[in-house]
Amino acid sequence: MFQKKSASSNDADSVSKGILFKRSAQLYALVLAGYLTMVWLLLMSYQLDSFWGSRILLLILAFNFAVPVISFSLITKDNLGKQLGAPSETDKFMRSKGGNTSLSEAKNKQEFWLFLFGFSILIGISRMVDDNSTVIALSNQGKAQSNQRLYQTYEVIGAFVTGVFLSFFRIYISPYGLFMLYSFFLVVSQVLMFFIDTMPLANMVSVIIVAFISGGSFTLAGIIAHEDYGSKHYNKILGVFMTGAAIGILIFDQLVFGLFFNMLNDSSNSSYKGYGKWNKYIFIICTLSSVMAFIMSIGGFTRTRARDGNKDKISDFVNF
């Protein structure tokens, strides 16, 4: 939206497109806010998995198709001046972002690989916790369903809050800085899983954390793909990030959890009635992996901090 225009581009057309994109983004945010509100209400009323509850959510999501039509109808030649307004501090800051970088060029950047591997670990562990909630809850269906609903809800909250937060405070923090914080909380969530047999709330708190940072990290992947690599190569870069996430899910969900549970689960615990070696080894691997993701996120943040140009409140906080 805020890329420098070529010499042959028309200023009026560029301004109109910029306003159109910005209004569209605001409408999409409103749709997501409505979706999030309805998810929360359905969660509180225990209707998140109900027939009519899912239909209401689908109806809200279907409204996304109407957003471009509404955006076009809001922008006319008569009200273009009223829609323009003065650019915010964040708008001015974002002028330098979005330079086009091809996939072959991106592969030569250390921060590309650091984020890719860290993102893959974070999403892989998060989905592992959700997909195996019944086993982790020792076949307690009530507890498993509660954790699944919490994951569904807080994943949406994480995505929405991350997007809104960076919309207002991007000038103070980079996406890499926020991803570093999320990676740290991933470590915290996995440490909590060592206490699920002694602390009743440990599992629930861990699920909330991994759900929030999972949703937020998907948002960060889109932001990083656009800011660092531009709109021209956005689909390829984001596709690589999503492929990495899929591989992470395969490794942690299918290989790590499935392999160690089948190998170390005692025959007496075949119906998941007790914890044992299986959960300790699984979460030792997940904790070590999350520490690796945190270290890589620090590397990505360090590599990009100087050129990002934000006011770097993360460093101020760390120094404090």
Side-chain angles (χ1 to χ4, degrees):
M1 194 190 311
F2 302 108
Q3 291 183 55
K4 293 181 179 179
K5 302 181 293 296
S6 63
S8 59
S9 64
N10 183 280
D11 288 344
D13 289 344
S14 298
V15 170
S16 300
K17 290 178 181 177
I19 296 173
L20 179 63
F21 287 140
K22 193 167 187 178
R23 291 292 177 264
S24 298
Q26 292 170 345
L27 286 173
Y28 280 123
L30 287 176
V31 173
L32 184 56
Y35 181 83
L36 174 59
T37 302
M38 185 54 63
V39 166
W40 183 258
L41 291 175
L42 292 172
L43 176 69
M44 294 295 101
S45 60
Y46 301 97
Q47 298 296 323
L48 190 58
D49 299 330
S50 66
F51 175 83
W52 65 270
S54 61
R55 295 305 183 274
I56 291 176
L57 294 178
L58 285 174
L59 183 63
I60 296 175
L61 290 178
F63 190 74
N64 281 304
F65 293 107
V67 168
V69 178
I70 297 174
S71 299
F72 275 106
S73 64
L74 291 176
I75 305 241
T76 63
K77 292 182 178 180
D78 296 331
N79 65 4
L80 185 60
K82 298 178 181 178
Q83 298 274 357
L84 185 56
S88 65
E89 191 176 11
T90 301
D91 293 341
K92 296 176 182 177
F93 174 75
M94 293 300 293
R95 284 180 180 271
S96 61
K97 305 298 178 183
N100 289 316
T101 303
S102 65
L103 181 59
S104 59
E105 294 173 327
K107 289 188 294 186
N108 296 323
K109 293 186 175 184
Q110 293 183 14
E111 58 267 27
F112 174 82
W113 295 106
L114 291 170
F115 178 79
L116 175 62
F117 290 134
F119 179 65
S120 302
I121 293 173
L122 190 149
I123 298 301
I125 293 176
S126 300
R127 292 306 311 176
M128 182 203 74
V129 171
D130 180 50
D131 291 344
N132 298 281
S133 57
T134 300
V135 179
I136 297 174
L138 301 179
S139 296
N140 185 329
Q141 293 299 324
K143 185 177 179 181
Q145 289 181 2
S146 175
N147 287 339
Q148 288 172 349
R149 294 186 183 112
L150 285 172
Y151 191 97
Q152 294 169 13
T153 304
Y154 280 91
E155 189 173 34
V156 180
I157 293 175
F160 182 75
V161 170
T162 300
V164 171
F165 180 81
L166 285 178
S167 296
F168 287 101
F169 303 106
R170 174 62 183 89
I171 195 170
Y172 299 107
I173 183 173
S174 72
Y176 289 96
L178 205 54
F179 184 70
M180 182 174 64
L181 291 180
Y182 288 173
S183 299
F184 171 76
F185 282 111
L186 178 66
V187 178
V188 173
S189 71
Q190 296 312 292
V191 171
L192 283 173
M193 295 302 285
F194 286 102
F195 304 98
I196 55 177
D197 54 343
T198 57
M199 296 173 57
L201 294 178
N203 189 13
M204 184 187 72
V205 174
S206 179
V207 168
I208 291 174
I209 292 175
V210 296
F212 185 93
I213 63 178
S214 174
S217 296
F218 276 118
T219 301
L220 290 177
I223 292 173
I224 289 174
H226 181 261
E227 284 193 11
D228 284 10
Y229 308 103
S231 57
K232 184 178 180 180
H233 304 285
Y234 175 83
N235 55 342
K236 294 180 181 179
I237 301 296
L238 187 60
V240 172
F241 289 160
M242 294 303 174
T243 302
I247 294 174
I249 293 172
L250 175 64
I251 292 174
F252 287 98
D253 190 10
Q254 301 297 323
L255 297 181
V256 173
F257 196 97
L259 182 64
F260 279 91
F261 179 78
N262 292 326
M263 281 177 32
L264 301 175
N265 183 37
D266 297 332
S267 58
S268 59
N269 292 334
S270 57
S271 58
Y272 329 135
K273 296 301 182 183
Y275 296 111
K277 292 182 179 179
W278 64 270
N279 58 294
K280 293 180 181 179
Y281 279 94
I282 288 171
F283 291 111
I284 285 174
I285 293 174
C286 291
T287 301
L288 293 176
S289 300
S290 60
V291 170
M292 290 176 56
F294 179 52
I295 293 173
M296 286 186 283
S297 69
I298 294 175
F301 173 70
T302 304
R303 289 283 302 174
T304 59
R305 180 177 59 180
R307 64 174 172 79
D308 187 78
N310 67 78
K311 296 183 179 180
D312 201 5
K313 294 299 181 181
I314 288 288
S315 294
D316 292 345
F317 175 76
V318 171
N319 291 335
F320 172 77

PDB file of all heavy atoms in Angstrom, residues 23-39:
ATOM      1  N   ARG A  23      -9.379   0.678   3.622  1.00  0.00           N
ATOM      2  CA  ARG A  23     -10.766   0.469   4.034  1.00  0.00           C
ATOM      3  C   ARG A  23     -11.110  -1.020   4.022  1.00  0.00           C
ATOM      4  O   ARG A  23     -11.830  -1.508   4.888  1.00  0.00           O
ATOM      5  CB  ARG A  23     -11.714   1.246   3.114  1.00  0.00           C
ATOM      6  CG  ARG A  23     -11.624   2.750   3.263  1.00  0.00           C
ATOM      7  CD  ARG A  23     -12.140   3.204   4.630  1.00  0.00           C
ATOM      8  NE  ARG A  23     -11.972   4.659   4.788  1.00  0.00           N
ATOM      9  CZ  ARG A  23     -10.942   5.213   5.399  1.00  0.00           C
ATOM     10  NH1 ARG A  23      -9.985   4.448   5.897  1.00  0.00           N
ATOM     11  NH2 ARG A  23     -10.846   6.529   5.525  1.00  0.00           N
ATOM     12  N   SER A  24     -10.594  -1.746   3.040  1.00  0.00           N
ATOM     13  CA  SER A  24     -10.845  -3.190   2.978  1.00  0.00           C
ATOM     14  C   SER A  24     -10.253  -3.890   4.192  1.00  0.00           C
ATOM     15  O   SER A  24     -10.877  -4.764   4.799  1.00  0.00           O
ATOM     16  CB  SER A  24     -10.260  -3.784   1.696  1.00  0.00           C
ATOM     17  OG  SER A  24     -10.875  -3.225   0.555  1.00  0.00           O
ATOM     18  N   ALA A  25      -9.027  -3.504   4.556  1.00  0.00           N
ATOM     19  CA  ALA A  25      -8.375  -4.100   5.723  1.00  0.00           C
ATOM     20  C   ALA A  25      -9.172  -3.829   6.998  1.00  0.00           C
ATOM     21  O   ALA A  25      -9.328  -4.705   7.858  1.00  0.00           O
ATOM     22  CB  ALA A  25      -6.954  -3.557   5.861  1.00  0.00           C
ATOM     23  N   GLN A  26      -9.722  -2.608   7.108  1.00  0.00           N
ATOM     24  CA  GLN A  26     -10.527  -2.280   8.287  1.00  0.00           C
ATOM     25  C   GLN A  26     -11.814  -3.098   8.327  1.00  0.00           C
ATOM     26  O   GLN A  26     -12.242  -3.547   9.395  1.00  0.00           O
ATOM     27  CB  GLN A  26     -10.843  -0.778   8.281  1.00  0.00           C
ATOM     28  CG  GLN A  26      -9.614   0.095   8.515  1.00  0.00           C
ATOM     29  CD  GLN A  26      -9.890   1.570   8.279  1.00  0.00           C
ATOM     30  OE1 GLN A  26     -10.901   1.944   7.686  1.00  0.00           O
ATOM     31  NE2 GLN A  26      -8.970   2.417   8.724  1.00  0.00           N
ATOM     32  N   LEU A  27     -12.426  -3.309   7.168  1.00  0.00           N
ATOM     33  CA  LEU A  27     -13.650  -4.121   7.125  1.00  0.00           C
ATOM     34  C   LEU A  27     -13.358  -5.585   7.451  1.00  0.00           C
ATOM     35  O   LEU A  27     -14.135  -6.246   8.149  1.00  0.00           O
ATOM     36  CB  LEU A  27     -14.305  -4.002   5.746  1.00  0.00           C
ATOM     37  CG  LEU A  27     -15.009  -2.670   5.455  1.00  0.00           C
ATOM     38  CD1 LEU A  27     -15.462  -2.615   4.004  1.00  0.00           C
ATOM     39  CD2 LEU A  27     -16.209  -2.482   6.384  1.00  0.00           C
ATOM     40  N   TYR A  28     -12.247  -6.105   6.935  1.00  0.00           N
ATOM     41  CA  TYR A  28     -11.865  -7.478   7.272  1.00  0.00           C
ATOM     42  C   TYR A  28     -11.616  -7.611   8.772  1.00  0.00           C
ATOM     43  O   TYR A  28     -11.956  -8.629   9.391  1.00  0.00           O
ATOM     44  CB  TYR A  28     -10.614  -7.887   6.493  1.00  0.00           C
ATOM     45  CG  TYR A  28     -10.880  -8.302   5.070  1.00  0.00           C
ATOM     46  CD1 TYR A  28     -10.248  -7.659   4.010  1.00  0.00           C
ATOM     47  CD2 TYR A  28     -11.754  -9.345   4.779  1.00  0.00           C
ATOM     48  CE1 TYR A  28     -10.486  -8.035   2.698  1.00  0.00           C
ATOM     49  CE2 TYR A  28     -11.999  -9.720   3.465  1.00  0.00           C
ATOM     50  CZ  TYR A  28     -11.361  -9.068   2.431  1.00  0.00           C
ATOM     51  OH  TYR A  28     -11.604  -9.453   1.138  1.00  0.00           O
ATOM     52  N   ALA A  29     -11.022  -6.582   9.371  1.00  0.00           N
ATOM     53  CA  ALA A  29     -10.794  -6.595  10.820  1.00  0.00           C
ATOM     54  C   ALA A  29     -12.119  -6.612  11.578  1.00  0.00           C
ATOM     55  O   ALA A  29     -12.256  -7.290  12.606  1.00  0.00           O
ATOM     56  CB  ALA A  29      -9.955  -5.390  11.228  1.00  0.00           C
ATOM     57  N   LEU A  30     -13.113  -5.868  11.078  1.00  0.00           N
ATOM     58  CA  LEU A  30     -14.429  -5.872  11.718  1.00  0.00           C
ATOM     59  C   LEU A  30     -15.085  -7.249  11.620  1.00  0.00           C
ATOM     60  O   LEU A  30     -15.713  -7.724  12.579  1.00  0.00           O
ATOM     61  CB  LEU A  30     -15.327  -4.818  11.071  1.00  0.00           C
ATOM     62  CG  LEU A  30     -15.005  -3.359  11.396  1.00  0.00           C
ATOM     63  CD1 LEU A  30     -15.914  -2.426  10.597  1.00  0.00           C
ATOM     64  CD2 LEU A  30     -15.172  -3.088  12.893  1.00  0.00           C
ATOM     65  N   VAL A  31     -14.940  -7.898  10.456  1.00  0.00           N
ATOM     66  CA  VAL A  31     -15.498  -9.243  10.297  1.00  0.00           C
ATOM     67  C   VAL A  31     -14.839 -10.207  11.279  1.00  0.00           C
ATOM     68  O   VAL A  31     -15.518 -11.013  11.941  1.00  0.00           O
ATOM     69  CB  VAL A  31     -15.323  -9.739   8.849  1.00  0.00           C
ATOM     70  CG1 VAL A  31     -15.758 -11.198   8.724  1.00  0.00           C
ATOM     71  CG2 VAL A  31     -16.134  -8.879   7.892  1.00  0.00           C
ATOM     72  N   LEU A  32     -13.513 -10.128  11.395  1.00  0.00           N
ATOM     73  CA  LEU A  32     -12.793 -10.999  12.321  1.00  0.00           C
ATOM     74  C   LEU A  32     -13.175 -10.689  13.762  1.00  0.00           C
ATOM     75  O   LEU A  32     -13.288 -11.603  14.593  1.00  0.00           O
ATOM     76  CB  LEU A  32     -11.282 -10.837  12.130  1.00  0.00           C
ATOM     77  CG  LEU A  32     -10.396 -11.752  12.974  1.00  0.00           C
ATOM     78  CD1 LEU A  32     -10.747 -13.215  12.743  1.00  0.00           C
ATOM     79  CD2 LEU A  32      -8.929 -11.510  12.677  1.00  0.00           C
ATOM     80  N   ALA A  33     -13.407  -9.400  14.072  1.00  0.00           N
ATOM     81  CA  ALA A  33     -13.843  -9.034  15.423  1.00  0.00           C
ATOM     82  C   ALA A  33     -15.219  -9.632  15.720  1.00  0.00           C
ATOM     83  O   ALA A  33     -15.460 -10.136  16.827  1.00  0.00           O
ATOM     84  CB  ALA A  33     -13.878  -7.515  15.565  1.00  0.00           C
ATOM     85  N   GLY A  34     -16.116  -9.593  14.732  1.00  0.00           N
ATOM     86  CA  GLY A  34     -17.428 -10.219  14.918  1.00  0.00           C
ATOM     87  C   GLY A  34     -17.322 -11.717  15.085  1.00  0.00           C
ATOM     88  O   GLY A  34     -18.011 -12.318  15.925  1.00  0.00           O
ATOM     89  N   TYR A  35     -16.445 -12.339  14.305  1.00  0.00           N
ATOM     90  CA  TYR A  35     -16.227 -13.783  14.415  1.00  0.00           C
ATOM     91  C   TYR A  35     -15.683 -14.132  15.797  1.00  0.00           C
ATOM     92  O   TYR A  35     -16.147 -15.086  16.449  1.00  0.00           O
ATOM     93  CB  TYR A  35     -15.248 -14.216  13.329  1.00  0.00           C
ATOM     94  CG  TYR A  35     -14.945 -15.694  13.313  1.00  0.00           C
ATOM     95  CD1 TYR A  35     -15.791 -16.595  12.666  1.00  0.00           C
ATOM     96  CD2 TYR A  35     -13.807 -16.194  13.924  1.00  0.00           C
ATOM     97  CE1 TYR A  35     -15.510 -17.944  12.640  1.00  0.00           C
ATOM     98  CE2 TYR A  35     -13.519 -17.548  13.905  1.00  0.00           C
ATOM     99  CZ  TYR A  35     -14.366 -18.418  13.259  1.00  0.00           C
ATOM    100  OH  TYR A  35     -14.085 -19.762  13.239  1.00  0.00           O
ATOM    101  N   LEU A  36     -14.710 -13.351  16.260  1.00  0.00           N
ATOM    102  CA  LEU A  36     -14.109 -13.592  17.565  1.00  0.00           C
ATOM    103  C   LEU A  36     -15.135 -13.425  18.682  1.00  0.00           C
ATOM    104  O   LEU A  36     -15.190 -14.230  19.624  1.00  0.00           O
ATOM    105  CB  LEU A  36     -12.932 -12.639  17.777  1.00  0.00           C
ATOM    106  CG  LEU A  36     -12.263 -12.653  19.146  1.00  0.00           C
ATOM    107  CD1 LEU A  36     -11.734 -14.041  19.468  1.00  0.00           C
ATOM    108  CD2 LEU A  36     -11.119 -11.640  19.181  1.00  0.00           C
ATOM    109  N   THR A  37     -15.950 -12.387  18.590  1.00  0.00           N
ATOM    110  CA  THR A  37     -16.990 -12.164  19.602  1.00  0.00           C
ATOM    111  C   THR A  37     -17.967 -13.331  19.659  1.00  0.00           C
ATOM    112  O   THR A  37     -18.324 -13.813  20.744  1.00  0.00           O
ATOM    113  CB  THR A  37     -17.750 -10.865  19.299  1.00  0.00           C
ATOM    114  OG1 THR A  37     -16.824  -9.766  19.256  1.00  0.00           O
ATOM    115  CG2 THR A  37     -18.811 -10.596  20.350  1.00  0.00           C
ATOM    116  N   MET A  38     -18.385 -13.819  18.481  1.00  0.00           N
ATOM    117  CA  MET A  38     -19.320 -14.938  18.445  1.00  0.00           C
ATOM    118  C   MET A  38     -18.684 -16.221  18.967  1.00  0.00           C
ATOM    119  O   MET A  38     -19.322 -17.010  19.675  1.00  0.00           O
ATOM    120  CB  MET A  38     -19.832 -15.138  17.016  1.00  0.00           C
ATOM    121  CG  MET A  38     -20.906 -16.216  16.887  1.00  0.00           C
ATOM    122  SD  MET A  38     -22.322 -15.955  18.002  1.00  0.00           S
ATOM    123  CE  MET A  38     -22.949 -14.380  17.366  1.00  0.00           C
ATOM    124  N   VAL A  39     -17.399 -16.448  18.633  1.00  0.00           N
ATOM    125  CA  VAL A  39     -16.699 -17.629  19.156  1.00  0.00           C
ATOM    126  C   VAL A  39     -16.662 -17.595  20.677  1.00  0.00           C
ATOM    127  O   VAL A  39     -16.904 -18.608  21.348  1.00  0.00           O
ATOM    128  CB  VAL A  39     -15.263 -17.698  18.578  1.00  0.00           C
ATOM    129  CG1 VAL A  39     -14.415 -18.700  19.358  1.00  0.00           C
ATOM    130  CG2 VAL A  39     -15.293 -18.106  17.121  1.00  0.00           C
TER     131      VAL A  39
END
